[in-house]
Amino acid sequence: PPRFLPMSRFWSQIVRELTPYVPGEQPRQANLVKLNTNENPYPPSPAVLAAIRAELGDDGARLRLYPDPQGTALREAIAEQEGLSPDHVFVGNGSDEVLAFAFQALLAHPEPLRFPDISYSFYPTYCRLYRIAARQVPLRDEGFALDVSDYAGGGPVILPNPNAPTGRAIARADIARLLEANADWPVVIDEAYVSFGAESAAPLIASHDNLLVVRTLSKSYSLAGLRVGYALGHPALVEALVRVKDSFNSYPLDRLALAAATAAVRDTEWLARTSAAVIESREKLSADLAALGFEVLPSKANFVFASHPGRDAAALSRALRERAIIVRHFGAQRIAQWLRITIGTPAECEALVGALREILAQTA
């Protein structure tokens, strides 16, 4: 009979040591109120669908051809919106890939890379994968606030703004201070959620050649299913990303993704309208949760971070799941009593609040 050997027999030492990133759950249950992965509750711009249909044509013949490896049309559209030239723009297969290239191209130095201890959990994963020394800087105990003075000099920096999972944002003036304090080091600002009310660092690119801004079209543009991200920065930083990309995969974005993303970026009215709707729902949900006794951090993202002083967060998460509502609970020690709740449609937010009201009314 055949002999089945453990998979790990052929693993490299790096793979043996990895603890992979765990994405949010994507269950297939019908009629689920899904508030755990920060997806936009609204559809993408109608211009996106039109662009995909146009790219396909009548017979889909264009799909036999490779896409533009430089993503020229998309880079030009982004540059136009940002008041930059296309050589300041890099595009990739989701912001996670763009970040991965940045870790290899810009953040791998003898000095440790610094980032918050409560932050996007892909950062330590990439550090392990690419053998990058890391130093996690604790957020302040009061409300998990980030103080840029904690990052004065000493090595490269990556920060999400707004932060995830806390949702808190820092002002552009604080980012300017961070850049000046680290003028000899690359600083990456991860702006996955910036469209929901935070100040972008992009205007600082003209005066700071060490700044790279990374964004995604997954959240505010409702294109999580297409996997498109981009970076803005000095052409020398962009060239570093290109060198890594072209040593890994010269064609990261397919023809449909490029066409759809270009249309989405150009429809600024749709972006403004849907982002405003999410912000309105976020403020109402924050108030409703506070009325139920939750502590809710001030959020500039499309989610809120909330904790109830009288109820265990994991138990609340389980109770919500029993009612076909899922939110994100992290087991990390400092945030074990907090839930990250994606902003859904008004009806989904009302369903969440109603379920929590029912759960809290029960005997602990």
Side-chain angles (χ1 to χ4, degrees), residues 79-93:
E80 181 180 343
Q81 297 297 329
E82 298 296 331
L84 298 168
S85 60
D87 61 353
H88 286 78
V89 183
F90 176 88
V91 296
N93 185 31

Side-chain angles (χ1 to χ4, degrees), residues 15-98:
V15 171
R16 290 175 185 273
E17 297 172 359
L18 282 180
T19 302
Y21 170 77
V22 180
E25 182 183 2
Q26 295 285 358
R28 297 183 179 181
Q29 179 181 340
N31 301 317
L32 187 71
V33 177
K34 186 173 180 297
L35 305 176
N36 68 321
T37 50
N38 301 340
E39 292 147 323
N40 199 308
Y42 302 107
S45 162
V48 167
L49 302 182
I52 291 174
R53 294 189 189 103
E55 184 64 27
L56 281 172
D58 294 332
D59 58 3
R62 288 194 186 94
L63 295 184
R64 67 187 175 83
L65 303 173
Y66 281 110
D68 174 9
Q70 283 80 42
T72 305
L74 176 56
R75 288 170 50 238
E76 288 174 347
I78 294 169
E80 181 180 343
Q81 297 297 329
E82 298 296 331
L84 298 168
S85 60
D87 61 353
H88 286 78
V89 183
F90 176 88
V91 296
N93 185 31
S95 63
D96 285 337
E97 180 183 76
V98 176

Side-chain angles (χ1 to χ4, degrees), residues 196-244:
F196 301 108
E199 284 188 299
S200 173
L204 300 172
I205 290 172
S207 55
H208 296 83
D209 61 4
N210 60 329
L211 169 62
L212 188 79
V213 173
V214 177
R215 295 187 188 153
T216 177
L217 273 67
S218 295
K219 317 301 183 188
S220 53
Y221 289 93
S222 305
L223 291 179
L226 277 187
R227 314 306 305 125
V228 181
Y230 64 92
L232 307 170
H234 188 279
L237 301 185
V238 170
E239 174 60 24
L241 301 180
V242 171
R243 285 180 172 230
V244 173

Side-chain angles (χ1 to χ4, degrees), residues 57-178:
D58 294 332
D59 58 3
R62 288 194 186 94
L63 295 184
R64 67 187 175 83
L65 303 173
Y66 281 110
D68 174 9
Q70 283 80 42
T72 305
L74 176 56
R75 288 170 50 238
E76 288 174 347
I78 294 169
E80 181 180 343
Q81 297 297 329
E82 298 296 331
L84 298 168
S85 60
D87 61 353
H88 286 78
V89 183
F90 176 88
V91 296
N93 185 31
S95 63
D96 285 337
E97 180 183 76
V98 176
L99 287 169
F101 291 159
F103 270 70
Q104 296 171 80
L106 301 172
L107 302 179
H109 293 274
E111 291 75 10
L113 171 63
R114 295 166 294 157
F115 51 85
D117 65 330
I118 300 170
S119 190
Y120 188 25
S121 53
F122 235 132
Y123 300 161
T125 297
Y126 281 149
C127 286
R128 289 189 294 268
L129 178 60
Y130 300 125
R131 304 293 193 177
I132 297 173
R135 181 164 72 84
Q136 298 188 39
V137 180
L139 295 176
R140 298 302 173 97
D141 290 334
E142 184 64 32
F144 302 120
L146 188 152
D147 190 331
V148 296
S149 64
D150 294 336
Y151 295 83
V157 176
I158 183 168
L159 300 178
N161 191 44
N163 194 16
T166 67
R168 302 198 66 155
I170 57 176
R172 184 183 300 136
D174 289 326
I175 296 174
R177 289 198 296 116
L178 174 70

Side-chain angles (χ1 to χ4, degrees), residues 252-318:
L253 286 174
D254 64 61
R255 300 184 71 93
L256 301 184
L258 285 169
T262 302
V265 168
R266 293 195 183 282
D267 194 348
T268 56
E269 181 180 347
W270 187 267
L271 171 67
R273 186 189 314 165
T274 54
S275 296
V278 170
I279 291 170
E280 182 178 358
S281 294
R282 181 189 69 207
E283 298 310 302
K284 184 178 188 306
L285 178 60
S286 296
D288 289 344
L289 291 173
L292 292 177
F294 282 86
E295 178 184 356
V296 185
L297 296 186
S299 174
K300 294 294 184 182
N302 69 336
F303 58 85
V304 294
F305 207 47
S307 176
H308 196 285
R311 294 299 180 97
D312 177 71
L316 284 175
S317 178
R318 289 192 297 269

